[in-house]
């Protein structure tokens, strides 16, 4: 998903969960506050794409390394490895955070500075939690989430 939209990505607006692996401790800048340290491991970032270009444009940006740091999550996607993302056409990022509420919050307020409901839009994804468990939690009454691999190779199960 580095230059062209992923062929399986829903074309319109929606929400998504980006899976990111961090190999080394990473200091995160959150404005004027002290920089918390994110420990190595897997993380899930919940976001939405209701602007121009919808899900393909937003996820295409998250999958790229060469970009200006505009949002909190850009610090992770440029320093870590984007494993892939679950895309949910018409979804709501706060609802996705709620569905994944069984996962720990590593940094309060991360990606949620404009959100009055969520403690954070970043969740730690422990190795003991299988991808199928995350996918099942994301699948609500509406359409099932579509998994998009970080290397742009479609994969049926995640």
């Amino acid at each position: 998903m580095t230059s062209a939209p992923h062929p399986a990505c829903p074309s319109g607006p929606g929400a998504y969960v980006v899976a990111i692996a961090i190999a080394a401790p990473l200091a995160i800048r959150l404005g004027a506050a002290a920089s918390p340290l994110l420990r190595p491991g897997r993380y899930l970032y919940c976001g939405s794409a209701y602007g121009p270009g919808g899900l393909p444009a937003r996820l295409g940006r998250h999958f790229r390394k060469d970009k200006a740091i505009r949002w909190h999550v850009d610090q992770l996607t440029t320093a870590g490895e984007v494993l892939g993302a679950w895309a949910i056409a018409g979804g709501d990022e706060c609802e996705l955070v709620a569905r994944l509420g069984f996962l720990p919050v590593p940094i309060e307020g991360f990606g949620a500075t404009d959100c009055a409901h969520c403690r954070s839009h970043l969740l730690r994804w422990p190795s003991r939690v299988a991808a199928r468990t995350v996918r099942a939690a994301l699948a609500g009454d509406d359409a099932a989430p579509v998994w998009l691999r970080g290397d742009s190779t479609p994969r049926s199960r995640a």
Side-chain angles (χ1 to χ4, degrees), residues 52-97:
L55 286 163
R58 182 59 55 87
L59 289 172
R61 183 180 200 292
H62 288 322
F63 279 55
R64 284 193 322 267
K65 288 247 186 229
D66 60 329
K67 61 188 164 219
I69 305 297
R70 183 177 303 157
W71 295 296
H72 290 157
V73 69
D74 291 343
Q75 297 173 72
L76 276 68
T77 59
T78 56
E81 176 189 359
V82 175
L83 304 171
W86 284 278
I88 298 95
D92 176 78
E93 65 190 303
C94 296
E95 183 178 325
L96 299 180
V97 170

Side-chain angles (χ1 to χ4, degrees), residues 3-135:
S3 58
H6 192 291
C9 187
S11 62
Y16 57 86
V17 178
V18 177
I20 307 161
I22 302 297
L26 181 63
I28 300 295
R29 293 177 313 280
L30 298 174
S35 297
L37 197 62
L38 202 58
R39 63 185 178 162
R42 296 184 307 172
Y43 295 88
L44 298 175
Y45 174 76
C46 301
S48 63
Y50 280 87
L55 286 163
R58 182 59 55 87
L59 289 172
R61 183 180 200 292
H62 288 322
F63 279 55
R64 284 193 322 267
K65 288 247 186 229
D66 60 329
K67 61 188 164 219
I69 305 297
R70 183 177 303 157
W71 295 296
H72 290 157
V73 69
D74 291 343
Q75 297 173 72
L76 276 68
T77 59
T78 56
E81 176 189 359
V82 175
L83 304 171
W86 284 278
I88 298 95
D92 176 78
E93 65 190 303
C94 296
E95 183 178 325
L96 299 180
V97 170
R99 289 180 187 180
L100 296 172
F102 59 92
L103 297 174
V105 170
I107 300 174
E108 296 281 336
F110 186 100
T113 53
D114 60 348
C115 180
H117 308 289
C118 302
R119 289 178 46 210
S120 179
H121 283 192
L122 181 68
L123 304 166
R124 184 161 175 78
W125 183 13
S127 59
R128 65 177 166 23
V129 177
R132 69 178 170 277
T133 303
V134 172
R135 186 181 197 288

